[in-house]
């Protein structure tokens, strides 16, 4: 969601980015503007079957060394099991067999030594001889390298015949240079088809796309699957565009085009690169996060139900009807939902409710309402939002549509907070960023939480939040 004008926001000043980003699609569900294609299924990763078959056949050939040995079927089963468990996984889509030769041979050696140690421990009179170990190791290494080499050759051939089309985003000169380098190395398996930049530089090369409509057209006509961001400013200045492309099913890569290469196992035409997680698709462990939300919120709702009842009755008696305060907030991927709280303040009208920033120091509150806000008891009803699925226990705090529009315009990275489900507490809150504090700092902490999310981090934040409740500061 975006505002029509840039407005200074609480907790920080508006920032002039000095750049007019390429226009991108409006929020889905609107009729104005245009849309990128709906999310496509992610590109299929390279099948593991060829490499798995190569390792299996190599283990079977290595077992030829067991000829004449006692319990040969058992030894064969143990060797195959050890070889499969220790099989190396390629760090890149299609490395060469020489790249993984040390890993292949090293793991095969470990498998044979483990097998020899196991036999010597449980059947000393059938211990494998040194000759058997050396012959078996050499046979399996030779077969494994040959089989893997064939599998990698077939993958490289497939990449050459069907490369992944890509858009390159960044300053036109840098993007043209990176595109030319990638085109000179077709073995990368990536085919740049267009440059996305604010202004064309007049140089020859790929077509420069300067509007969202042109990006949309290129995306559809070329079946673009990869996006290469070739300048550090792209992540902040073109964040909405990157997220829109990621939502449509593209893989987003950050390419180190100018500065000395950072350590990276991923390479593209000699450039170091890394995959950017734009927050779309189901993350590993997200089901565990949802299970934690249901278990904790459900348990807490049962435990604190007497407290909720007392608060509701007291508010009804002292302040009249309207105990529960309902307000529209923006959740994951910009979807609105209704947030529940105990009513501690009665706005003058709906405009004040939607646009007034904070009432933490409102003198019109009764002492009980101020107590609820200082102790955060007014937010206990949000446990129902968590249980229902509108929110999570841990995540960026949801904000009203009016402020989401303002902050998205004035603070780079604020809109990216909506990549993940919003929460009752979060990394920003446990670092003191509540109430009238820096929005820029909040966005930075929230994005850091999303980028490094883990279920254990959620548990740590919940424990630190519980500890902080003994020294309430209000909201």
């Amino acid at each position: 969601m975006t505002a029509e004008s840039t407005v200074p926001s609480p907790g920080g000043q508006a920032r002039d980015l000095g750049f007019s980003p390429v226009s991108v699609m409006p929020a889905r569900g609107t009729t104005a503007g245009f849309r990128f294609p709906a999310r496509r299924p992610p590109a299929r990763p390279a099948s593991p079957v060829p490499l798995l078959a190569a390792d299996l056949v190599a283990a079977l050939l290595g077992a030829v060394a067991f000829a004449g040995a006692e319990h040969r079927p058992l030894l064969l089963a143990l060797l195959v099991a050890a070889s499969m468990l220790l099989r190396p996984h390629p760090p890149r889509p299609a490395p060469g067999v020489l790249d993984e030769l040390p890993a292949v041979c090293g793991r095969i050696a470990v498998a044979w030594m483990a097998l020899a140690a196991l036999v010597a421990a449980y059947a000393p009179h059938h211990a494998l001889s040194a000759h058997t170990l050396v012959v078996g190791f050499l046979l399996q290494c030779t077969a494994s390298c040959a089989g893997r080499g064939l599998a990698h050759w077939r993958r490289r051939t497939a990449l050459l015949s069907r490369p992944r089309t890509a858009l390159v985003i960044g300053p036109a000169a840098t993007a043209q240079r990176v595109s030319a380098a990638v085109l000179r190395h077709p073995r990368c398996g990536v085919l740049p088809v267009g440059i996305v930049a604010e202004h064309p530089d007049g140089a020859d090369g790929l077509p420069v796309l300067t509007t969202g409509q042109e990006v949309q057209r290129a995306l559809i006509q070329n079946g673009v699957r990869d996006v290469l961001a070739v300048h550090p400013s792209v992540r902040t200045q073109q964040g909405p565009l990157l997220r829109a492309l990621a939502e449509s099913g593209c893989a987003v890569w950050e390419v180190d085009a100018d500065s000395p290469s950072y350590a990276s196992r991923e390479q593209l035409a000699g450039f170091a690169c890394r995959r950017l997680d734009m927050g779309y698709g189901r993350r590993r462990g997200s089901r565990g996060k949802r299970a934690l939300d249901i278990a904790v919120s459900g348990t807490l709702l049962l435990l604190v139900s007497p407290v909720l009842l007392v608060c509701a009755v007291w508010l009804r008696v002292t302040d009249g009807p309207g105990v529960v305060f309902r307000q529209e907030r923006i959740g994951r991927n910009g979807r609105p939902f209704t947030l529940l709280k105990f009513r501690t303040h009665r706005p003058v009208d709906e405009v004040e409710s939607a646009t007034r920033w904070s009432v933490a120091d409102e003198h019109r509150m009764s002492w009980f309402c101020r107590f609820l806000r200082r102790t955060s008891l007014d937010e206990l009803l949000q446990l129902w939002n968590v249980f229902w699925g509108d929110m999570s226990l841990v995540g960026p705090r949801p904000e009203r549509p009016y402020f989401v529009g303002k902050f998205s315009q004035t603070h780079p990275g604020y809109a990216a907070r909506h990549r993940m489900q919003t929460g009752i507490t979060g990394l920003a809150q446990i670092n003191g960023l509540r109430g009238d504090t820096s929005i820029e700092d909040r966005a930075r902490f929230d994005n850091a939480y999303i980028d490094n999310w883990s279920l254990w981090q959620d548990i740590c934040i919940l424990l630190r939040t519980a500890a902080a409740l003994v020294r309430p500061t209000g909201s």
Side-chain angles (χ1 to χ4, degrees):
M1 182 173 295
T2 57
E4 295 182 359
S5 61
T6 300
V7 186
S9 59
Q13 298 297 321
R15 294 180 58 181
D16 179 11
L17 300 180
F19 183 85
S20 176
V22 173
S23 61
V24 295
M25 64 176 181
R28 291 191 174 177
T30 63
T31 57
F34 66 97
R35 289 175 165 182
F36 286 163
R39 179 169 178 81
R40 299 164 292 173
R44 289 185 178 181
S47 173
V49 173
L51 293 179
L52 184 65
D55 292 334
L56 178 60
V57 171
L60 295 175
L61 290 177
V64 172
F66 297 141
E70 296 289 336
H71 307 294
R72 183 179 177 184
L74 178 61
L75 293 177
L76 173 61
L78 291 174
L79 177 62
V80 170
S83 299
M84 293 298 101
L85 290 175
L86 295 174
R87 59 185 298 268
H89 300 280
R92 296 183 297 280
V97 66
L98 292 179
D99 297 325
E100 58 182 11
L101 182 62
V104 171
C105 295
R107 294 179 186 232
I108 292 175
V110 170
W112 277 92
M113 287 188 292
L115 178 61
L118 186 65
V119 173
Y122 289 94
H125 52 288
H126 295 303
L128 301 177
S129 65
H131 178 268
T132 299
L133 293 177
V134 171
V135 172
F137 168 74
L138 293 177
L139 283 174
Q140 186 171 351
C141 283
T142 301
S144 182
C145 289
R148 283 179 162 262
L150 177 61
H152 293 318
W153 174 78
R154 293 192 61 182
R155 286 185 180 180
R156 287 194 297 270
T157 302
L159 285 175
L160 284 172
S161 61
R162 296 185 299 275
R164 292 166 59 94
T165 51
L167 291 177
V168 185
I169 304 180
T174 302
Q176 291 285 12
R177 179 166 55 87
V178 172
S179 299
V182 174
L183 289 171
R184 288 195 299 268
H185 295 83
R187 293 183 63 182
C188 298
V190 176
L191 178 65
V193 295
I195 305 296
V196 181
E198 182 184 6
H199 301 294
D201 62 356
D204 295 333
L206 295 177
V208 178
L209 315 175
T210 59
T211 68
Q213 286 84 356
E214 292 176 347
V215 174
Q216 178 196 29
R217 191 179 306 115
L219 191 71
I220 297 174
Q221 292 178 350
N222 297 282
V224 172
R225 281 297 189 176
D226 285 337
V227 175
L228 309 180
V230 297
H231 194 272
S233 64
V234 172
R235 294 185 66 185
T236 55
Q237 296 173 350
Q238 295 283 38
L241 176 61
L242 293 181
R243 288 189 292 276
L245 290 168
E247 187 178 7
S248 72
C250 294
V252 181
W253 298 84
E254 185 177 62
V255 179
D256 188 17
D258 293 315
S259 59
S261 296
Y262 46 76
S264 174
R265 300 180 72 178
E266 302 284 352
Q267 298 288 328
L268 179 67
F271 297 109
C273 62
R274 63 190 179 100
R275 177 81 175 265
L276 297 182
D277 181 5
M278 304 306 295
Y280 289 99
R282 181 175 293 273
R283 284 191 175 196
R284 181 178 299 179
S286 59
R287 292 183 179 178
K289 180 178 178 69
R290 180 61 186 146
L292 178 68
D293 288 341
I294 294 175
V296 175
S297 63
T299 302
L300 289 179
L301 281 172
L302 291 175
L303 293 177
V304 303
S305 55
V307 178
L308 297 178
L309 180 61
V310 170
C311 292
V313 171
W314 191 286
L315 285 174
R316 178 65 176 83
V317 171
T318 58
D319 282 11
V323 171
V324 178
F325 177 66
R326 296 174 175 84
Q327 191 176 66
E328 185 181 46
R329 298 290 178 99
I330 299 300
R332 183 178 183 182
N333 295 335
R335 297 188 181 95
F337 70 96
T338 301
L339 179 135
L340 304 178
K341 295 177 68 173
F342 280 123
R343 185 182 296 279
T344 57
H345 168 70
R346 295 184 183 274
V348 175
D349 52 31
E350 294 185 1
V351 175
E352 180 186 10
S353 175
T355 62
R356 186 167 183 176
W357 173 241
S358 177
V359 293
D361 298 321
E362 179 57 63
H363 297 293
R364 287 180 290 171
M365 289 184 191
S366 66
W367 70 268
F368 184 69
C369 291
R370 287 195 294 270
F371 168 75
L372 291 180
R373 291 185 66 84
R374 282 198 304 269
T375 57
S376 298
L377 290 175
D378 62 324
E379 298 184 359
L380 283 179
L381 287 181
Q382 293 171 36
L383 291 171
W384 176 251
N385 288 115
V386 175
F387 189 80
W388 187 253
D390 294 328
M391 297 174 61
S392 176
L393 290 170
V394 183
R397 281 295 295 171
E399 195 46 78
R400 286 161 282 178
Y402 173 78
F403 290 107
V404 170
K406 288 171 61 175
F407 299 157
S408 297
Q409 285 287 322
T410 57
H411 297 284
Y414 185 85
R417 299 165 66 254
H418 298 93
R419 294 175 288 162
M420 182 173 276
Q421 192 79 290
T422 54
I424 296 179
T425 185
L427 187 63
Q429 283 67 43
I430 64 174
N431 281 279
L433 296 171
R434 303 179 63 194
D436 193 10
T437 54
S438 170
I439 303 301
E440 182 178 355
D441 288 350
R442 290 195 201 184
R444 185 172 63 254
F445 274 94
D446 288 337
N447 284 310
Y449 161 76
I450 296 172
D451 291 340
N452 301 281
W453 178 83
S454 68
L455 195 59
W456 177 246
Q457 182 182 201
D458 277 7
I459 294 173
C460 292
I461 290 175
L462 289 174
L463 293 175
R464 292 177 64 180
T465 300
L469 290 178
V470 301
R471 41 184 176 83
T473 58
S475 58

